Amino acid sequence: QVYLKESGGGSVQAGGSLKLSCADYSGYIDSTCEMSYYRQVPGKERELVARATRVGAKNYADSVKGRFTISRDNVKNTVSLQMDSLKTEDTALYICSAFCRVERYWGKGTQVTVSS
C-alpha cells in the first residue's frame, strides 16, 4: 500500500512563500516514478501544478511558471514544491501524486491558504 504524505502547508499573505514536501512511507516509490503536485479547490477540477518526470524533465502549469519550483530527491524518494510570490488564487488543497508503471497514487493533501 503506497502511502504518500504531504507537509508544509499553511496560511501566508500574498507575496509570501511556502515549501511543500511529500514523502513516501511505503518504500514503493522509486526513481522510475513520475512525481507531481496537483491542487484542488472545492467545485473545480483537480489541476496539475507541477511535474517531475523520471528522466529529469519538469513541467509547470502556466499559472505558476516562474513562481513555483519542483524538485525531487531520488535517494530519499521525496518531492518538494517551493512556492514563491504566492497569490490569493493559489489557495487550494495541494496533493502529491506518484505515477509508477501503470498506477497513479495520491496523498491526502495539505491546505495552502493565501490571504490578501
Side-chain angles (χ1 to χ4, degrees), residues 20-31:
L20 307 183
S21 294
C22 174
D24 165 42
Y25 287 87
S26 68
Y28 179 77
I29 305 299
D30 61 24
S31 60

Side-chain angles (χ1 to χ4, degrees), residues 62-87:
D62 287 344
S63 59
V64 307
K65 280 181 181 176
R67 300 189 297 121
F68 289 12
T69 303
I70 191 169
S71 58
R72 62 186 296 171
D73 184 327
N74 287 331
V75 175
K76 297 180 180 179
N77 290 323
T78 59
V79 60
S80 298
L81 185 68
Q82 176 67 42
M83 306 186 295
D84 298 318
S85 302
L86 282 161
K87 304 177 181 180

Side-chain angles (χ1 to χ4, degrees), residues 76-113:
K76 297 180 180 179
N77 290 323
T78 59
V79 60
S80 298
L81 185 68
Q82 176 67 42
M83 306 186 295
D84 298 318
S85 302
L86 282 161
K87 304 177 181 180
T88 55
E89 52 263 44
D90 294 320
T91 295
L93 182 70
Y94 283 73
I95 306 164
C96 177
S97 179
F99 185 76
C100 307
R101 292 58 151 181
V102 296
E103 294 281 345
R104 180 168 292 282
Y105 305 95
W106 300 96
K108 293 188 180 299
T110 184
Q111 179 67 35
V112 171
T113 302

